[in-house]
Amino acid sequence: MPRDVLGLRSETVRRANLSAILRELHTHGSLSRSELVARTGLTRSAIRGLIGEFVAAGLMAERRSASDGQPGRPSPQVRLDPGGGVVLALEMAVDSLAASIVGLGGEVLAHRRVDRPRGHFSVDETVADLLQLATSLGWPDRITGEPIGIGVAVVGVVRRSDGFVSIAPNLGWRDVPLGGLLAQAFATTGPVRVANDADLGALAEHRRGAARGHEHVLFISGEVGVGAGLISGGHPLAGAAGFAGEVGHIRVNPNGAACRCGSVGCWETEVGEGALLMRAGRAPGGGRKEVDALLADALAGSPSVLRAVDDVGRWLGVGIASLVNVLNPELIVLGGLFGRLHPFIERTLAAELDRFALAAPRGMVEIAPASLDIDAPLLGAAELAFEPFLADPAQWLRSEVGLRELASA
Ligand SMILES: [Zn+2]
């Protein structure tokens, strides 16, 4: 084989190995060299050499650990420097805007969420508000660490390739080139990666929350709308353009109510926040305050409220049973409103699944509430922004070019 082809191959292998090591540390935190050997399948000497490259670039540090109880010398502990690379995560939710600066390893270095009334905001106003929010956290000039990207979660249907929002009913948006507008506002020529909030909630719960260690996960999040994110074989499933997971618009009731998407009887018209409030005799547009009051009544044992919650639980079961049949997840994580309802509807849901799902996939699926709470999509946006770096850290390790220059190149 010609020498240059061999060289090319070994360079490809080196880049893949750097990526494997970085991913392990980013996901699992500090690990010993022996643990890295076990997790990556690489040799000790390969691990030592590759870690040396990261250490030289200021992304990792090694520490001799005290005796680990094994005979011989203890294996050095390797950890990422959170300031070695940082990302900006942004979120546009139904009734708040949020920004976080997150370091390598997932450490949140700065965070701010600002409530805003529900309703339709102009795109320009929202982009300006996000810029102000990020600036108040010190992005990009006053942060400690090298900026490597921006990730954005939006409550809408998003094309992944360019962050084009096809529709975001809760914001009143249609056909908005959000990725481009944010790149312009933040004066970055690097990509601003935008994705649907439920897809990013799934990513965060899988990497850092209730779904850690599971390979086949369905994350279903309910607020005003209902969305889902799917992890299949350990990888996010986004569909051809990123539109996958719009489970809220599965038609479950031909005699149901009109949906904001233009159809009738969609799942979210039966299980979304408005449906729950209406079933309990409250104003459907009441928002978070009304939901908090309703949940307090449920906790106090109000029969009418518990009946309303149970109705939502049954309709949830109808949809989830079909999703279990189609997708065969091993774990379903309920986020947002559904996570809060989980203790009240656990038994109803289980009974509905027993009735309506096929026995084989039903028998292996568990249901759990989300563990990252309201910030799951924001943390997922950070993971989205880290992705190019995790996939190919080699290009960032060229010593003659700093990360800051690369990010703005
Ligand atoms: Zn719909």
Side-chain angles (χ1 to χ4, degrees):
M1 188 175 291
R3 194 175 287 263
D4 55 342
V5 174
L6 269 176
L8 208 62
R9 281 211 182 151
S10 71
E11 175 59 12
T12 309
V13 169
R14 174 181 157 268
R15 292 169 87 141
N17 291 345
L18 283 167
S19 170
I21 291 172
L22 185 62
R23 265 186 206 286
E24 287 298 334
L25 288 164
H26 178 69
T27 310
H28 301 288
S30 162
L31 294 170
S32 70
R33 272 198 215 161
S34 317
E35 285 169 314
L36 280 169
V37 168
R39 285 171 178 274
T40 60
L42 295 169
T43 63
R44 274 178 183 278
S45 64
I47 292 274
R48 190 169 51 235
L50 295 165
I51 287 173
E53 290 194 47
F54 282 118
V55 172
L59 295 177
M60 288 180 192
E62 276 197 294
R63 181 168 62 78
R64 285 252 153 244
S65 52
S67 171
D68 54 7
Q70 303 291 319
R73 272 196 309 166
S75 178
Q77 284 285 322
V78 189
R79 64 166 182 79
L80 287 170
D81 177 356
V86 298
V87 298
L88 174 67
L90 301 171
E91 185 190 0
M92 275 152 272
V94 176
D95 43 23
S96 64
L97 295 177
S100 283
I101 294 172
V102 180
L104 265 178
E107 189 178 327
V108 177
L109 303 170
H111 171 75
R112 220 174 138 204
R113 182 175 291 275
V114 181
D115 288 338
R116 60 177 190 171
R118 285 188 185 175
H120 297 173
F121 287 84
S122 83
V123 177
D124 290 344
E125 194 181 343
T126 304
V127 167
D129 286 350
L130 284 171
L131 183 60
Q132 198 183 10
L133 200 55
T135 309
S136 78
L137 296 182
W139 182 272
D141 296 326
R142 287 185 292 111
I143 54 170
T144 43
E146 297 291 346
I148 59 178
I150 300 176
V152 185
V154 62
V155 56
V157 178
V158 186
R159 187 167 64 206
R160 284 286 180 97
S161 56
D162 57 356
F164 185 88
V165 177
S166 150
I167 182 168
N170 289 307
L171 304 173
W173 294 356
R174 215 175 245 282
D175 298 334
V176 174
L178 185 64
L181 291 172
L182 286 169
Q184 204 173 20
F186 282 80
T188 167
T189 47
V192 174
R193 294 160 68 93
V194 187
N196 169 266
D197 59 342
D199 288 350
L200 294 178
L203 182 60
E205 289 288 346
H206 179 238
R207 206 163 271 177
R208 313 208 175 273
R212 268 184 96 135
H214 292 270
E215 297 289 281
H216 305 278
V217 180
L218 177 62
F219 172 78
I220 307 176
S221 181
E223 298 295 349
V224 176
V226 174
L230 186 68
I231 305 289
S232 181
H235 300 286
L237 201 81
F243 302 152
E246 290 299 325
V247 296
H249 303 287
I250 293 174
R251 198 161 182 236
V252 294
N253 185 357
N255 305 312
C259 180
R260 293 162 309 141
C261 73
S263 183
V264 171
C266 291
W267 198 24
E268 72 178 44
T269 67
E270 299 293 347
V271 299
E273 183 187 291
L276 172 66
L277 290 171
M278 207 143 62
R279 286 179 204 281
R282 293 170 183 268
R288 228 192 295 170
K289 235 186 223 164
E290 280 289 301
V291 173
D292 288 347
L294 181 148
L295 287 169
D297 286 354
L299 209 56
S302 157
S304 64
V305 170
L306 287 175
R307 257 197 314 277
V309 168
D310 202 54
D311 280 347
V312 166
R314 265 185 287 112
W315 277 108
L316 256 182
V318 169
I320 290 179
S322 299
L323 293 169
V324 164
N325 289 347
V326 174
L327 300 168
N328 184 202
E330 57 184 341
L331 179 70
I332 292 174
V333 177
L334 297 180
L337 173 64
F338 299 155
R340 301 178 76 189
L341 291 180
H342 181 260
F344 301 104
I345 59 175
E346 199 176 354
R347 283 169 63 180
T348 301
L349 257 184
E352 293 300 300
L353 288 189
D354 290 343
R355 269 180 81 196
F356 296 122
L358 292 168
R362 163 66 185 116
M364 61 188 295
V365 71
E366 284 180 49
I367 299 183
S371 68
L372 297 176
D373 205 23
I374 189 175
D375 287 327
L378 191 64
L379 295 173
E383 296 301 324
L384 187 69
F386 274 123
E387 197 46 45
F389 183 52
L390 299 177
D392 188 13
Q395 57 168 321
W396 308 78
L397 293 180
R398 285 178 295 167
S399 55
E400 73 274 20
V401 189
L403 288 175
R404 197 177 284 266
E405 285 77 41
L406 264 177
S408 62

